[in-house]
Amino acid sequence: MTVEQRRALVTAVPGPKSLELAARKAASVANGVGTILPAYIVEAGGGIVVDADGNQLIDFGSGIAVTTVGNAAPAVVRRVTEAVQRFTHTCFMVNPYEGYVEVAEQLAELTPGDHPKKSALFNSGAEAVENAIKIARVATGRSAVVCFDHAYHGRTNLTMALTAKDMPYKHGFGPFASDIYRVPMAYPYRWPGDPDAVAEEAFAQFESMVHVQVGEDQVAAVIIEPIQGEGGFIVPPEGFLPRLAQWCRDNGAVFIADEIQSGFCRTGDWFACDHEDVVPDLITTAKGIAGGLPLAAVTGRAELMDAVHAGGLGGTYGGNPVACAAALGAIEEMRSNDLNARAREIEAIFRARLGELAARHPQIGDIRGRGAMMAVELVLPGTKQPDAALTGAVAKACHAKGLVVLTAGSFGNVFRFLPPLSISDELLHEGLDLIDDAFAEVLHD
Ligand SMILES: Cc1ncc(COP(=O)(O)O)c(C=O)c1O
């Protein structure tokens, strides 16, 4: 790792060089492509990103849960360098290569369940989700798909239909794909019913709504993020996911776990489903799978995956050889550095520090998450009314101090923390100190 593991600010953030680049961006890049923190990056590694002005920022975002193994992780760089010097593309559907098969073998080994599994590789998370739905529909001969409130599954037409939030993801982009049905999410902090029976009550609503509005025998698939990402790191209560998986088994529907954000050591397990030993029929992965190179996958029961006719799945770039080499490098890093254990250590640090922060600030209504996927939800004190303005102000203060933080949540009032698992304890604590300072500054206490 060549990047010095130290926060250092030499200019304001963003500095003059970044501002110059931002002006070029404004003139040449579509406005619809936003940037959260317009400090233009030239180098990154461990827990630090370095911008064009030489500022060294602490990274609590991992490029939205992608650089789980760290930016430019050694095994990723080594394997990518070897691969890119040999060949860059053939298209697996034209002339195949070993790396693709090796990634599929690794996915079969690492994903939940010991049944025979197969995979198909794609470029983005949304593409993986689309293909999981295609596979479920062909395999079942049914078309209805059930998804959840607060879900995020992507920005393509079918995945926009599955995504819950209107602004900015869906607004004005309809009409959307049909035969999609949304049911309430088991969201413990905001559940209107009995707080001790969220799993039971939410499952009862799921069952009843599907029965009344869809019909059990029409359901091709139920798709859920085992911990919701963009929705605000909503962790369903124990028992909810196993009930859904059982319902799918009982009713001939495909249970799809979208682990695009929660997968690959992020939560302290290989996959968030492992926490309750839930075995999905299909699992979608992307983000952390390849240390930053674009790769995604659908992995699942061999008989489901093989239901699709030859030529029915694929794409020009899906499973690109360099991206596959990156995935094998990322998996090597995860195994050799026991990154599941590291994610659990990071959770312990976050829980302790966020607990102290919440004791001082009643604006922190909820602390939740698992592993290195932690969040706080901000509300008006004494209520559960979302405080998006405070969230935005604290995020801005963090950015100015040299800490990359991301917000999330249907109401825009959640901080989500997604540090790379290669970050040091020192940087974690320093980043948490900066969050503490940012709250104090914004709340003037
Ligand atoms: C759970 C989940 N599914 C799907 C997607 C879409 O992935 P992509 O942006 O690679 O298309 C995301 C991206 O944030 C995600 O978090």
Side-chain angles (χ1 to χ4, degrees):
M1 180 189 312
T2 54
V3 178
E4 196 189 356
Q5 294 302 292
R6 185 173 69 88
R7 180 180 68 107
L9 297 189
V10 292
T11 69
V13 180
K17 289 193 177 136
S18 282
L19 291 175
E20 216 178 292
L21 287 162
R24 284 170 54 195
K25 181 221 175 222
S28 60
V29 179
N31 284 343
V33 184
T35 47
I36 292 168
L37 170 52
Y40 280 70
I41 300 307
V42 293
E43 202 182 355
I48 292 287
V49 292
V50 184
D51 75 12
D53 291 283
N55 296 304
Q56 307 216 149
L57 317 177
I58 299 176
D59 183 11
F60 274 11
S62 299
I64 320 187
V66 171
T67 50
T68 303
V69 295
N71 240 301
V76 173
V77 173
R78 191 187 76 243
R79 287 185 185 250
V80 164
T81 306
E82 280 166 16
V84 83
Q85 285 170 343
R86 279 185 285 118
F87 64 101
T88 48
H89 175 82
T90 57
C91 183
F92 189 74
M93 299 179 305
V94 178
N95 295 118
Y97 38 87
E98 186 179 357
Y100 189 117
V101 178
E102 243 180 298
V103 171
E105 288 167 350
Q106 291 287 330
L107 284 165
E109 193 181 317
L110 296 172
T111 52
D114 50 16
H115 50 279
K117 289 176 221 157
K118 290 193 173 184
S119 289
L121 304 186
F122 303 97
N123 304 293
S124 69
E127 210 188 331
V129 170
E130 290 246 355
N131 278 280
I133 303 294
K134 282 163 59 175
I135 293 162
R137 283 179 168 160
V138 168
T140 58
R142 307 171 179 179
S143 63
V145 177
V146 181
C147 61
F148 289 83
D149 203 2
H150 310 289
Y152 183 88
H153 296 290
R155 295 171 181 266
T156 56
N157 188 268
L158 174 57
T159 58
M160 274 193 293
L162 296 167
T163 289
K165 194 174 177 180
D166 168 52
M167 190 58 101
Y169 306 125
K170 302 168 75 165
H171 196 77
F173 296 135
F176 304 112
S178 61
D179 231 359
I180 308 280
Y181 303 86
R182 192 174 308 286
V183 298
M185 175 64 182
Y187 185 168
Y189 181 62
R190 294 195 176 276
W191 189 251
D194 178 355
D196 296 321
V198 181
E200 294 79 358
E201 291 183 8
F203 178 70
Q205 286 199 19
F206 162 87
E207 243 186 335
S208 148
M209 286 175 77
V210 171
H211 177 70
V212 173
Q213 298 181 22
V214 194
E216 291 82 352
D217 61 358
Q218 303 299 300
V219 179
V222 175
I223 181 165
I224 190 165
E225 300 155 81
I227 295 180
Q228 287 184 322
E230 308 295 307
F233 288 12
I234 299 165
V235 185
E238 304 261 324
F240 186 63
L241 296 174
R243 279 179 173 83
L244 291 178
Q246 186 60 46
W247 184 95
C248 287
R249 279 193 293 278
D250 293 344
N251 291 281
V254 176
F255 183 64
I256 304 174
D258 179 349
E259 293 248 19
I260 285 164
Q261 192 152 163
S262 57
F264 284 105
C265 304
R266 182 48 64 188
T267 63
D269 285 298
W270 280 99
F271 296 95
C273 277
D274 290 327
H275 184 71
E276 287 186 89
D277 291 327
V278 169
V279 178
D281 299 309
L282 298 179
I283 180 166
T284 53
T285 52
K287 291 189 182 276
I289 190 176
L293 272 77
L295 190 73
V298 182
T299 302
R301 295 186 185 282
E303 69 276 15
L304 294 177
M305 297 296 294
D306 283 342
V308 177
H309 46 276
L313 301 175
T316 305
Y317 297 111
N320 166 274
V322 182
C324 286
L328 296 171
I331 292 167
E332 182 186 325
E333 291 275 346
M334 290 173 198
R335 286 186 197 275
S336 60
N337 297 317
D338 192 3
L339 291 188
N340 282 319
R342 181 63 188 146
R344 290 192 287 267
E345 287 169 7
I346 290 173
E347 172 175 349
I349 292 173
F350 266 94
R351 277 202 186 277
R353 294 288 309 268
L354 295 173
E356 287 166 20
L357 194 66
R360 279 181 280 122
H361 296 298
Q363 291 84 356
I364 297 181
D366 195 26
I367 301 171
R368 57 179 180 252
R370 197 181 301 143
M373 187 173 183
M374 296 297 296
V376 290
E377 177 157 355
L378 303 193
V379 292
L380 299 177
T383 75
K384 287 193 178 178
Q385 210 174 310
D387 195 343
L390 175 63
T391 312
V394 175
K396 210 167 155 219
C398 288
H399 294 166
K401 292 175 190 301
L403 176 68
V404 182
V405 286
L406 305 174
T407 58
S410 295
F411 315 109
N413 66 326
V414 176
F415 271 113
R416 54 170 159 170
F417 305 115
L418 289 161
L421 303 182
S422 55
I423 196 169
S424 66
D425 282 2
E426 290 70 28
L427 286 177
L428 277 180
H429 279 292
E430 192 178 348
L432 285 154
D433 289 343
L434 296 174
I435 292 169
D436 207 324
D437 294 349
F439 267 94
E441 197 175 294
V442 172
L443 295 169
H444 310 294
D445 63 12

